[in-house]
Amino acid sequence: MSEAKREPLFHISKRTDISWQKALLIRVIAIALALGASAIICLLLTDDDPLAIYSTIIKGTFGTPRKTWVTFRDVAMLLCISLAVTPAFKMRFWNIGGEGQTLMGCLASASCMILLRDVLPNWALILVMLLTSMLAGAIWGGIPALFKAKWNTNETLFTLMMNYIAIQLTSFFVAKWEYPFGSNTVGIINPTGKQGWLPNMFSEGYNGDFGWNVLIVLVVTVLLMFLYLYYTKHGYEISVVGESQRTARYVGIKVEWVIIRTMLISGALCGLAGFLLTAGSDHTLTTTLVDGRGFTAVM
């Protein structure tokens, strides 16, 4: 006789009935334990004062008004790309292509800034940049979604490989437009007239170019993504497809269309992040402009 199957000694499952106060307390304790563990490792391996190290990190992040705004800008960009891949992950579509989708948004914005700066007034140029960036990101996200919906391809590999195609496309156009020659970077675009730059929200100082990035991402986070995922029919369909495609089909949800639609939205939001990088902060184009945020956003 075969040995009876034994139950595991420990069973870990997610608690759904936990209060927000307790959930917050757990996260605070987790952060404190992580800082404590890191301090012990630093002390053992480097013999440096962990408090001095943490103090340096804080000063480097919030030491001056400019550093603080740069931190807010970088957090906002990372949050924007994280929000972009959230609907796909909630649907259990493993979108690893946020880097390339964002870079395509950067490329679309830079193309408009370079080619249309003498054709359109600034407000129209910014609007065209926004729309084309979101369209470029949506197309880059929609291609693997279409293949997944029609032929059940592996979305993890497909979206990952699309990153490299986006990098090579950007590299081609950078080589075409680069200034100064040989730098592998399109320099500050339109430095004189600042055509295609988002206007200063506050003043001409350190915070002028970053305010719009932070504000737009906050609006997308609170008013759009949260409401979309939790209070719309589309959000409900995403949840059902993520739980079980068979169940979704049983209740009449068109799974293939939900996959494509969700990835179009995901890619469009990545394109929005690319627009903010190009029009709102960096005003340049390079293959490393996204700087790995598309991969960090997955975490």
Side-chain angles (χ1 to χ4, degrees), residues 3-263:
E3 186 178 344
K5 186 177 181 181
R6 298 177 60 184
E7 289 293 328
L9 184 60
F10 298 101
H11 180 71
I12 300 175
S13 61
K14 183 178 179 180
R15 295 182 60 177
T16 58
D17 57 344
I18 190 172
S19 64
W20 70 267
Q21 296 94 336
K22 186 174 290 187
L24 178 62
L25 179 61
I26 290 173
R27 285 161 174 77
V28 171
I29 293 174
I31 292 173
L33 290 175
L35 291 174
S38 299
I40 293 173
I41 293 173
C42 288
L43 192 61
L44 292 176
L45 298 182
T46 66
D47 206 26
D48 291 330
D49 182 4
L51 294 180
I53 295 175
Y54 290 151
S55 176
T56 302
I57 293 174
I58 293 173
K59 289 179 181 178
T61 306
F62 302 106
T64 65
R66 178 173 178 81
K67 288 179 179 179
T68 301
W69 270 100
V70 169
T71 299
F72 286 157
R73 178 202 66 185
D74 292 341
V75 170
M77 296 314 305
L78 182 58
L79 176 60
C80 186
I81 303 174
S82 299
L83 288 170
V85 300
T86 294
F89 274 75
K90 191 175 181 65
M91 188 179 60
R92 298 187 185 276
F93 185 104
W94 312 120
N95 180 17
I96 316 298
E99 187 88 0
Q101 292 155 27
T102 305
L103 189 58
M104 291 304 294
C106 296
L107 176 59
S109 282
S111 301
C112 293
M113 292 174 74
I114 293 171
L115 300 176
L116 301 178
R117 58 189 171 190
D118 298 325
V119 178
L120 299 175
N122 194 49
W123 68 267
L125 177 59
I126 291 175
L127 181 60
V128 170
M129 288 168 59
L130 173 63
L131 295 177
T132 53
S133 296
M134 296 184 70
L135 178 62
I139 292 173
W140 221 245
I143 293 173
L146 178 64
F147 275 74
K148 175 69 175 181
K150 296 297 183 181
W151 298 287
N152 196 31
T153 56
N154 186 301
E155 72 275 13
T156 304
L157 293 176
F158 206 131
T159 53
L160 181 64
M161 292 299 104
M162 293 289 285
N163 292 328
Y164 300 105
I165 300 175
I167 291 172
Q168 292 304 315
L169 274 175
T170 304
S171 179
F172 171 81
F173 285 103
V174 165
K176 182 180 178 65
W177 295 326
E178 65 182 335
Y179 178 82
F181 182 76
S183 64
N184 288 325
T185 302
V186 177
I188 301 299
I189 305 174
N190 304 338
T192 304
K194 295 185 177 181
Q195 298 95 330
W197 290 29
L198 289 179
N200 292 327
M201 178 179 290
F202 301 104
S203 64
E204 294 293 334
Y206 55 83
N207 55 0
D209 289 334
F210 306 155
W212 282 108
N213 289 32
V214 176
L215 178 62
I216 291 173
V217 173
L218 285 176
V219 170
V220 171
T221 303
V222 178
L223 297 182
L224 298 181
M225 188 53 64
F226 177 77
L227 296 177
Y228 178 78
L229 288 178
Y230 292 100
Y231 293 99
T232 67
K233 179 185 176 183
H234 287 185
Y236 169 75
E237 291 176 343
I238 290 173
S239 298
V240 175
V241 171
E243 290 295 328
S244 171
Q245 291 190 11
R246 185 174 298 177
T247 301
R249 288 191 175 92
Y250 180 78
V251 298
I253 296 175
K254 296 180 179 179
V255 173
E256 290 76 13
W257 168 238
V258 172
I259 292 174
I260 296 173
R261 181 187 66 201
T262 304
M263 277 301 294

